[in-house]
C-alpha cells in the first residue's frame, strides 16, 4: 500500500467534521468491509508455505517501519505527497501469506500507530482505506494469476496487485480533496498519480528482487537486509534535505509576507484605511496558513499585536476555533494555562499526559495536542503561535516540527519588530509629533490621489491667533496644549475621513472634495467658530481667534494644480484676511501679492549692491534739554518697479528667507560709518539699529559686531541695538547669551515697543538692557485716554526704578512732549522732532534745526532750536 493519496486527502484544512467528507468516509468503510468479505469468500483456499505465527508479526513490523520512514512532499495548499516503502511488505504478503493474515497485519499496524499517536479523529476513513487497499490488491493479484495461468512469472499477480493499490488510494484521495473544497486541476492530478506510480514501481520491484535473492541465494536475506539499510539511509538523508529546503522556503516566505504587510502600516493618510486593514489582515492570514501547511497541522492560531496601542488580534488558519474560544477576551487569554509563556521556548502539550489546567485548555480548543511558542520582540511580548493537531494518519508533532516552529517564531518576531520600527519611522515622517495629525509632507502625500480623482478640490488653511502670545506669557507647554486642543476641535468638525494637517505653529490645513467643497463657506465659518471658543489654560481662560483662507482648483491659475499649489494659494488667502474679514477665498489677483513678495526676496541682494536700499535716520532728543543725542537707523527700499517699499512688507520676507543677517550687517555698517564721521567732527552721538528674532539666535553675531566696531574705531556705547520683547521671548535660551555678550562689550541694548507684551514685567529684570522704548500707541493716546497716560507714567517709573533710560517714540505734538517732561521721561522721538530722513537730508536738518554748544564736559553738543 502507498500512502500518497491518503495523505493528500487528510492534509486538507478541514477535519472529519466536514459533512461531505464524513459521508464519503462512512461509505468507504462500508465498501471496504464488503470488499474484504467478498474477496475473502472469492479467493481459493490455499495451504500457506510459511509459519503464520512468524509471518503475521513480521508483516506488522514491516508495515510499521514502512510508514515511519515515509517522506512527505507538499503538492499544494493543504495537500502532500508521501514517499513510503509500504509496497514492499505488501508485495511480500501477496507472495507468502493468505489474505486474512495480510489484512490483519495491515489493520493492526495502522490502528496501532493511530492509537499510539492519538490520531483517532480520522479512524473511519483510515479503516475503510485499509480494508479497500488489501482487498483490491488480492483481487487484482488473483485475477492476473488466473489470466496468465502457468506461463507467466509467479510474481506477476503480486506485482500488478501491489501497483493497483497506490493508484486506487490516489483516486480516493483526490476525490476526498474535491469533496472538501480543495480539489486539484487535471494536470497536477495526473502528475501526482504518475509520481505515485513511479515510486510504487520502484518499491514493488525492490521487494520482488529482495524476495528472489533471499529465497534463492545463500545468505540472501543478510544481503537484502544490508541493501535495505542502505536504501533506508539514502531515503532518510533525502528526507532531511528536503525538509530543510521546505523549511527555508517557509521561513523566507513568512519574512517576505511580514515585510509586505508593513507596507499597509499607517502612512501619510490621516486616518486608518479600511482597505489597508483588510489587506494587512489578508497578509497575516496567509502567514498563518503557510505555517499550518508547513507543520501539516489541523489549525494554527496566530495571536498578534503589531501596533503597541491596538488590542491583540487573533487569526485562525484551518478549522475554526470552537465558539467559546473565538473572542479575544484579555482576561481569558491572561488566565489561559497554555498561554503562560515565560521565556521563548516551544511548549508541546498533549491531552493524554497534560495536567488538569492544560487538558481543560486543550479541550476548549477541541484539540488533542498543541505546540505553543511566544513571539517576543526586543522589549515586549508581540503575541503567540498555537499549532493544533498534526494532520497525519500515523504520528503527531516531532522534534523537527518543534525546531521549525522555534525558528519560525524567531524570524517572525524579528520581522514584526522591524515592521513596527518601519511603521513608526513612516508614521513619524508623515505626522506631526505634537497633535498626531499629518505634517506638510504627509498632507501632500494624502492629498495627491484624492485630488486626481475628485472633480472639485478645496485646500483650507486655518490659522490660530494669539498662540505666540500665550507661549510668551505662559510658556511653550501651554501653547502646545492650545495647539493640541485646536487640532482636536478641527478633527471633530471635519470628521475622521478628511485629511487634516498641522503645518507649523498654529497653522492647520484640510482637504475638502466634491460635495464638501461645495459647502466651503459654511465649513469655514464652522471651523473658525470652533477655534474661537475660549481655551481653558490651567485656571485661566484664553480668548482666541482664527482666520481661514482657502483655494479651489477652479480659482487656481495652474491647469492641474498639486497640493502644494493649492496650499500656497490658501496661504495667500490667509494673509489677505483682516479683522473685519476673517474668511477669504483665494482670487487670482492675490497671486500678484505672492509674486511681488517673491520678486522682493530674489532681488534683495542686487538691491543692496545697486543702492536701491538705503538707511534713513530719525533723531532722538533728550528731555528736557532738547539735546540731540543720536538717531535711529531705519531701512528704506526704493524699488525701480514697485516704487517705495515699506519695511513692513519686505523685512518679514527677508527674515523668512534667512537673509536678515545680510540686512542687519548692512544697516550696522552704514550706521557706524555715520557715527565715525560725527566723531571726526567732535560729536558724540549714537545710532540705534533694530535686531530681528533670527539675529538674536545667531551666536556669531557678537563677534561680527566687535569686528565692525574695531574696523570703524567706534566706542561701543555709541551703538544701540533695539529689540522687541517678543523677539527675545521667542527663544530666550538662545537670545539671552547673545544679549549678555553684547552688553559685556559695552553696546547699549534697548527694548522696543515696551508694554505691548504679556511678559514685560516678568522678564525685564532678567534682560541685560539699558533702555526701554515706550510703544508709540500709548504715547499717541495720552491726550485722549487716561488709561494710556497711566501706562506711560507706570513705564517711566518702572524704568527709572530699574536704572534704565526711558525713551518715548511717537511724540507728535507739544502737549505730548510736555506731558513726558512732566513725567520725567528721558528721551523723545517722533514726528514732532522729525520724520525719518535720508543721510543728506538728516545732515541738512542738523545744520538747520540745531546749534552747537559746549556741554558740561566741554564737549560739542547739538541742541534743538524752537
Amino acid at each position: 500500500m502507498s500512502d500518497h493519496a491518503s495523505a493528500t486527502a487528510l492534509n486538507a484544512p478541514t477535519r472529519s467534521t466536514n459533512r461531505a467528507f464524513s459521508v464519503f468516509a462512512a461509505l468507504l468503510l462500508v465498501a471496504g468491509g464488503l470488499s474484504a468479505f467478498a474477496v475473502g469468500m472469492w479467493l481459493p483456499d490455499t495451504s500457506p508455505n510459511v509459519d503464520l505465527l512468524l509471518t503475521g508479526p513480521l508483516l506488522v513490523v514491516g508495515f510499521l517501519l514502512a510508514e515511519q520512514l515515509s517522506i512527505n512532499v507538499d503538492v499544494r495548499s493543504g495537500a502532500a505527497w508521501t514517499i513510503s516503502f509500504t509496497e514492499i511488505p505488501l508485495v511480500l504478503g501477496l507472495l507468502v501469506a493468505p489474505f486474512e493474515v495480510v489484512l490483519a497485519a495491515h489493520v493492526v499496524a495502522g490502528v496501532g500507530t493511530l492509537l499510539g499517536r492519538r490520531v483517532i479523529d480520522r479512524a473511519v476513513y483510515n479503516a475503510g482505506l485499509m480494508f479497500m487497499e488489501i482487498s483490491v490488491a488480492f483481487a487484482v493479484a488473483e485475477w492476473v494469476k488466473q489470466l496468465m495461468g502457468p506461463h507467466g512469472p509467479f510474481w506477476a499477480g503480486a506485482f500488478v496487485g501491489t501497483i493497483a493499490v497506490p493508484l486506487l488510494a490516489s483516486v480516493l484521495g483526490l476525490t476526498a480533496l474535491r469533496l472538501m473544497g480543495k480539489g486539484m486541476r487535471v494536470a497536477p492530478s495526473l502528475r501526482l498519480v504518475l509520481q505515485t506510480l513511479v515510486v510504487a514501481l520502484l518499491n514493488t520491484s525492490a521487494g520482488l528482487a529482495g524476495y528472489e535473492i533471499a529465497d534463492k541465494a545463500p545468505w540472501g536475506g543478510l544481503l537484502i537486509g544490508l541493501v535495505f539499510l542502505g536504501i533506508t539511509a539514502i531515503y532518510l538523508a533525502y528526507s532531511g534535505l528536503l525538509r530543510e529546503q521546505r523549511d527555508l522556503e517557509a521561513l523566507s516566505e513568512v519574512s517576505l509576507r511580514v515585510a509586505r504587510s508593513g507596507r499597509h502600516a499607517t502612512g501619510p493618510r490621516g486616518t486608518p484605511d479600511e482597505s489597508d486593514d483588510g489587506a494587512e489582515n489578508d497578509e497575516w492570514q496567509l502567514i498563518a496558513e503557510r505555517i499550518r501547511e508547513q507543520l501539516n497541522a489541523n489549525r494554527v492560531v496566530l495571536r498578534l499585536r503589531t501596533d503597541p496601542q491596538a488590542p491583540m488580534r487573533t487569526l485562525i488558519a484551518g478549522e475554526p476555533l470552537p465558539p467559546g474560544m473565538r473572542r479575544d477576551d484579555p482576561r481569558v487569554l491572561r488566565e489561559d494555562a497554555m498561554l503562560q509563556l515565560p521565556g521563548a521556548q516551544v511548549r508541546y502539550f498533549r491531552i493524554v499526559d497534560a495536567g488538569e489546567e492544560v487538558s481543560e485548555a486543550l479541550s476548549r480548543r477541541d484539540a488533542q495536542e498543541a505546540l505553543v511558542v511566544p513571539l517576543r520582540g526586543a522589549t515586549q511580548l508581540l503575541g503567540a503561535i498555537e499549532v493544533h493537531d498534526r494532520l497525519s494518519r500515523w504520528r503527531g508533532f516531532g522534534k523537527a516540527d518543534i525546531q521549525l516552529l522555534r525558528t519560525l517564531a524567531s524570524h517572525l518576531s524579528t520581522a514584526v519588530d522591524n515592521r513596527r520600527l518601519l511603521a513608526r519611522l513612516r508614521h513619524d515622517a508623515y505626522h506631526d509629533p505634537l497633535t498626531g495629525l499629518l505634517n506638510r509632507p504627509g498632507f501632500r502625500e494624502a492629498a495627491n490621489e484624492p485630488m486626481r480623482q475628485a472633480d472639485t478640490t478645496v485646500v483650507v488653511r486655518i490659522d490660530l491667533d494669539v498662540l505666540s502670545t500665550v507661549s510668551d506669557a505662559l510658556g511653550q507647554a501651554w501653547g502646545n496644549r492650545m495647539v493640541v486642543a485646536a487640532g482636536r476641535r478641527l478633527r471633530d468638525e471635519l470628521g475622521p475621513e478628511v485629511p487634516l494637517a498641522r503645518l507649523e505653529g498654529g497653522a492647520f490645513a484640510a482637504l475638502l472634495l466634491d460635495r464638501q467643497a461645495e459647502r466651503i463657506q459654511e465649513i469655514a465659518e464652522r471651523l473658525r467658530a470652533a477655534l474661537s471658543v475660549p481655551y481653558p489654560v490651567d485656571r485661566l481662560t484664553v480668548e482666541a481667534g482664527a482666520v481661514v483662507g482657502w483655494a479651489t482648483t477652479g480659482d487656481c491659475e495652474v491647469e492641474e494644480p498639486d497640493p502644494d499649489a493649492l496650499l500656497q494659494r490658501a496661504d495667500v488667502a490667509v494673509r489677505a484676511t483682516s479683522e473685519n474679514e476673517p474668511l477669504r477665498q483665494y482670487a487670482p489677483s492675490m497671486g500678484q501679492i505672492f509674486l511681488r513678495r517673491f520678486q522682493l526676496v530674489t532681488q534683495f541682494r542686487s538691491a543692496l549692491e545697486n543702492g536701491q536700499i538705503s538707511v534713513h535716520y530719525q533723531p532722538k532728543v533728550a528731555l528736557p534739554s532738547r539735546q540731540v543725542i543720536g538717531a535711529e537707523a531705519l531701512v528704506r527700499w526704493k524699488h525701480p518697479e514697485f516704487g517705495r517699499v515699506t519695511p513692513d512688507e519686505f523685512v518679514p520676507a527677508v527674515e523668512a528667507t534667512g537673509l536678515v543677517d545680510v540686512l542687519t550687517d548692512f544697516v550696522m555698517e552704514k550706521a557706524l560709518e555715520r557715527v565715525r564721521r560725527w566723531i571726526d567732527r567732535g560729536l558724540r552721538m549714537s545710532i540705534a539699529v533694530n535686531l530681528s528674532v533670527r539675529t538674536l539666535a545667531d551666536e556669531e553675531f557678537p563677534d561680527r559686531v566687535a569686528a565692525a566696531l574695531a574696523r570703524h574705531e567706534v566706542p561701543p556705547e555709541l551703538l544701540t541695538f533695539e529689540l522687541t520683547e517678543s523677539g527675545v521671548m521667542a527663544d530666550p535660551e538662545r537670545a539671552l547669551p547673545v544679549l549678555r555678550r553684547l552688553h559685556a562689550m559695552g553696546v547699549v541694548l534697548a527694548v522696543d515697543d515696551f508694554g505691548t507684551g504679556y511678559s514685560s514685567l516678568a522678564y525685564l529684570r532678567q534682560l541685560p538692557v539699558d533702555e526701554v522704548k515706550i510703544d508709540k500707541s500709548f504715547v499717541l493716546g495720552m491726550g485722549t485716554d487716561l488709561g494710556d497716560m497711566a501706562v506711560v507714567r507706570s513705564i517711566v517709573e518702572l524704568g527709572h526704578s530699574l536704572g534704565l533710560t526711558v525713551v518715548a517714540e511717537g511724540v507728535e505734538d507739544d502737549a505730548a512732549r510736555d506731558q513726558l517732561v512732566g513725567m520725567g521721561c528721558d528721551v523723545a522721538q517722533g514726528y514732532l522732532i522729525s520724520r525719518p530722513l535720508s543721510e543728506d537730508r538728516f545732515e541738512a536738518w542738523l545744520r538747520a534745526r540745531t546749534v552747537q554748544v559746549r556741554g558740561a564736559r566741554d564737549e560739542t553738543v547739538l541742541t534743538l532750536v524752537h
Side-chain angles (χ1 to χ4, degrees):
M1 185 236 5
S2 172
D3 197 27
H4 311 295
S6 60
T8 301
L10 295 170
N11 288 347
T14 57
R15 300 178 64 184
S16 57
T17 51
N18 181 290
R19 187 171 183 180
F21 176 74
S22 298
V23 173
F24 175 74
L27 293 175
L28 180 62
L29 179 60
V30 173
L34 293 175
S35 299
F37 177 77
V39 170
M41 296 297 293
W42 173 63
L43 290 175
D45 293 329
T46 57
S47 299
N49 299 324
V50 295
D51 185 358
L52 296 181
L53 295 178
L54 178 62
T55 302
L58 287 177
L59 286 175
V60 171
V61 172
F63 281 121
L64 288 174
L65 288 175
E67 290 298 341
Q68 291 298 322
L69 298 176
S70 62
I71 302 173
N72 293 319
V73 182
D74 286 339
V75 295
R76 62 160 298 151
S77 174
W81 174 46
T82 302
I83 302 173
S84 75
F85 302 112
T86 313
E87 291 84 2
I88 295 176
L90 177 60
V91 73
L92 294 176
L94 286 170
L95 290 173
V96 302
F99 170 71
E100 293 81 2
V101 173
V102 176
L103 177 62
H106 187 41
V107 172
V108 168
V111 172
T113 302
L114 290 173
L115 293 176
R117 296 297 183 180
R118 274 75 181 179
V119 185
I120 60 177
D121 54 344
R122 292 172 295 277
V124 174
Y125 174 86
N126 289 323
L129 188 60
M130 293 173 195
F131 281 106
M132 185 65 73
E133 287 172 337
I134 302 302
S135 301
V136 169
F138 272 86
V140 171
E142 182 62 25
W143 177 74
V144 171
K145 183 178 177 181
Q146 294 178 4
L147 181 65
M148 298 187 65
H151 306 292
F154 74 95
W155 46 261
F159 180 85
V160 177
T162 302
I163 295 299
V165 169
L167 295 177
L168 171 67
S170 296
V171 172
L172 293 175
L174 292 171
T175 303
L177 269 179
R178 179 70 61 181
L179 293 173
M180 300 170 75
K182 300 292 287 187
M184 299 173 62
R185 292 190 297 272
V186 175
S189 299
L190 292 177
R191 282 198 302 270
L192 177 62
V193 173
L194 180 61
Q195 291 165 345
T196 300
L197 182 61
V198 170
V199 175
L201 287 170
L202 176 63
N203 287 338
T204 305
S205 300
L208 290 173
Y211 175 80
E212 284 286 327
I213 294 173
D215 185 50
K216 306 295 184 184
W219 299 97
L222 178 60
L223 180 61
I224 290 302
L226 294 175
V227 172
F228 178 75
L229 290 176
I231 294 175
T232 301
I234 293 173
Y235 267 104
L236 291 177
Y238 177 69
S239 174
L241 292 174
L242 192 60
R243 176 67 185 257
E244 290 180 4
Q245 179 186 353
R246 292 170 54 224
D247 290 351
L248 289 174
E249 290 174 354
L251 290 172
S252 174
E253 183 177 343
V254 167
S255 298
L256 288 174
R257 288 196 181 280
V258 173
R260 192 178 299 124
S261 73
R263 299 175 188 171
H264 305 294
T266 303
R269 281 169 291 279
T271 56
D273 192 317
E274 291 183 3
S275 63
D276 279 358
D277 285 347
E280 184 179 1
N281 281 334
D282 289 344
E283 291 291 348
W284 286 113
Q285 188 66 44
L286 290 172
I287 290 171
E289 183 63 34
R290 187 67 178 92
I291 296 173
R292 189 196 67 79
E293 292 175 6
Q294 190 65 20
L295 292 171
N296 197 23
N298 174 61
R299 179 198 299 131
V300 165
V301 179
L302 179 58
R303 305 186 190 277
L304 200 63
R305 181 183 284 114
T306 54
D307 184 349
Q309 308 301 323
M312 185 81 72
R313 75 173 78 181
T314 300
L315 297 104
I316 302 168
E319 182 183 351
L321 280 169
M325 289 295 296
R326 293 178 188 173
R327 294 180 301 165
D328 294 332
D329 189 333
R331 182 185 60 81
V332 173
L333 295 179
R334 281 196 303 269
E335 297 175 357
D336 194 301
M338 287 175 52
L339 297 179
Q340 307 304 312
L341 302 171
Q345 298 303 311
V346 180
R347 286 159 177 78
Y348 184 19
F349 302 110
R350 295 197 307 171
I351 199 167
V352 294
D353 52 19
E356 182 179 350
E357 292 183 352
V358 173
S359 295
E360 184 182 348
L362 285 168
S363 298
R364 287 198 304 270
R365 292 166 170 79
D366 193 17
Q368 300 295 314
E369 60 177 347
L371 297 178
V372 184
V373 61
L375 300 176
R376 294 199 177 275
T379 59
Q380 59 184 312
L381 183 67
L382 305 175
I385 304 175
E386 298 181 33
V387 184
H388 300 164
D389 295 338
R390 181 176 175 84
L391 286 173
S392 172
R393 287 178 61 186
W394 308 113
R395 64 188 181 90
F397 297 112
K399 292 182 180 179
D401 300 314
I402 294 174
Q403 178 61 38
L404 173 60
L405 185 58
R406 182 187 303 117
T407 308
L408 276 169
S410 175
H411 278 245
L412 193 58
S413 299
T414 302
V416 172
D417 240 5
N418 291 339
R419 173 198 179 281
R420 290 172 70 168
L421 176 60
L422 180 63
R424 171 54 55 188
L425 292 175
R426 183 181 289 113
H427 181 277
D428 292 346
Y430 288 119
H431 290 79
D432 173 52
L434 179 62
T435 61
L437 302 175
L438 296 171
N439 56 16
R440 191 179 292 270
F443 184 79
R444 182 186 304 117
E445 291 296 322
N448 269 325
E449 187 62 27
M451 283 185 62
R452 283 194 289 268
Q453 298 177 354
D455 295 328
T456 305
T457 302
V458 175
V459 170
V460 186
R461 171 161 174 156
I462 312 102
D463 278 19
L464 179 65
D465 286 347
V466 308
L467 180 62
S468 60
T469 306
V470 171
S471 298
D472 293 344
L474 301 177
Q476 189 67 35
W478 291 109
N480 288 344
R481 294 186 187 185
M482 283 191 65
V483 171
V484 172
R488 192 178 299 117
R489 293 180 185 183
L490 291 175
R491 173 57 70 202
D492 291 342
E493 288 293 329
L494 293 171
E497 302 301 325
V498 174
L500 176 63
R502 180 198 177 206
L503 304 177
E504 66 270 329
F508 299 87
L511 180 73
L512 304 179
L513 304 171
D514 296 335
R515 291 186 178 180
Q516 286 180 317
E518 296 171 2
R519 299 184 294 111
I520 178 58
Q521 184 73 29
E522 171 198 340
I523 294 175
E525 291 175 355
R526 280 177 26 219
L527 295 179
R528 179 174 177 273
L531 292 193
S532 300
V533 175
Y535 293 80
V537 177
D538 199 8
R539 285 170 289 183
L540 304 175
T541 300
V542 178
E543 299 287 341
V547 292
V548 183
W550 64 90
T552 69
T553 48
D555 295 330
C556 188
E557 305 89 336
V558 183
E559 184 175 350
E560 294 184 359
D562 57 14
D564 285 334
L566 287 184
L567 194 56
Q568 188 181 76
R569 285 157 178 79
D571 177 62
V572 172
V574 164
R575 295 177 184 276
T577 59
S578 62
E579 184 175 351
N580 296 326
E581 198 173 6
L583 307 177
R584 290 294 299 272
Q585 179 176 352
Y586 173 80
S589 59
M590 295 180 184
Q592 299 302 317
I593 300 173
F594 177 81
L595 178 62
R596 173 173 169 136
R597 183 182 180 188
F598 177 76
Q599 288 178 301
L600 291 177
V601 171
T602 55
Q603 297 171 8
F604 174 72
R605 284 187 179 274
S606 62
L608 285 176
E609 297 171 357
N610 298 333
Q612 298 174 18
I613 297 178
S614 60
V615 178
H616 287 209
Y617 301 93
Q618 186 174 30
K620 298 162 67 175
V621 175
L623 297 177
S625 65
R626 301 195 310 280
Q627 175 186 338
V628 180
I629 60 172
E632 180 180 358
L634 301 169
V635 66
R636 295 292 185 267
W637 187 348
K638 188 175 182 181
H639 195 277
E641 179 181 352
F642 304 138
R644 296 188 182 276
V645 183
T646 65
D648 290 340
E649 181 179 1
F650 73 83
V651 170
V654 170
E655 287 183 337
T657 53
L659 295 173
V660 70
D661 289 342
V662 177
L663 178 61
T664 301
D665 291 349
F666 171 80
V667 176
M668 182 173 63
E669 287 290 329
K670 292 293 185 181
L672 292 178
E673 289 175 6
R674 171 53 45 195
V675 173
R676 180 68 254 174
R677 285 196 286 270
W678 286 339
I679 292 175
D680 293 341
R681 290 163 47 189
L683 298 173
R684 289 184 62 84
M685 294 194 302
S686 66
I687 290 187
V689 176
N690 289 282
L691 295 185
S692 75
V693 177
R694 290 181 178 270
T695 304
L696 292 176
D698 184 0
E699 297 178 354
E700 298 179 356
F701 179 65
D703 297 328
R704 298 206 304 273
V705 173
L709 290 171
R711 187 166 54 252
H712 293 283
E713 298 181 350
V714 172
E717 63 270 17
L718 296 183
L719 177 62
T720 299
F721 284 128
E722 295 185 2
L723 47 114
T724 62
E725 53 186 319
S726 60
V728 177
M729 298 315 152
D731 192 355
E733 292 184 0
R734 298 183 65 180
L736 287 175
V738 173
L739 294 177
R740 292 190 181 106
R741 288 182 60 190
L742 293 172
H743 190 264
M745 291 166 50
V747 174
V748 178
L749 300 178
V751 176
D752 199 6
D753 299 335
F754 187 79
T756 59
Y758 288 93
S759 55
S760 305
L761 301 180
Y763 283 94
L764 187 58
R765 295 189 63 180
Q766 300 180 27
L767 298 178
V769 297
D770 307 282
E771 294 182 3
V772 291
K773 293 187 72 173
I774 306 172
D775 186 70
K776 62 183 179 182
S777 62
F778 298 115
V779 177
L780 292 172
M782 284 193 308
T784 57
D785 192 328
L786 294 178
D788 287 343
M789 180 180 292
V791 170
V792 173
R793 187 183 303 277
S794 298
I795 294 174
V796 173
E797 293 175 355
L798 174 65
H800 288 165
S801 69
L802 296 175
L804 305 177
T805 300
V806 180
V807 179
E809 57 180 343
V811 181
E812 297 189 356
D813 53 49
D814 292 330
R817 180 196 59 197
D818 295 340
Q819 287 175 322
L820 291 169
V821 170
M823 296 177 188
C825 185
D826 304 300
V827 179
Q829 176 184 346
Y831 282 9
L832 175 66
I833 302 165
S834 174
R835 294 174 176 272
L837 302 171
S838 65
E839 187 173 0
D840 293 340
R841 295 185 62 189
F842 183 66
E843 286 296 327
W845 181 89
L846 288 176
R847 291 192 297 269
R849 295 291 307 276
T850 64
V851 295
Q852 293 189 9
V853 297
R854 306 304 297 178
R857 300 178 182 177
D858 199 30
E859 77 278 14
T860 301
V861 296
L862 298 179
T863 301
L864 185 66
V865 297
H866 293 288

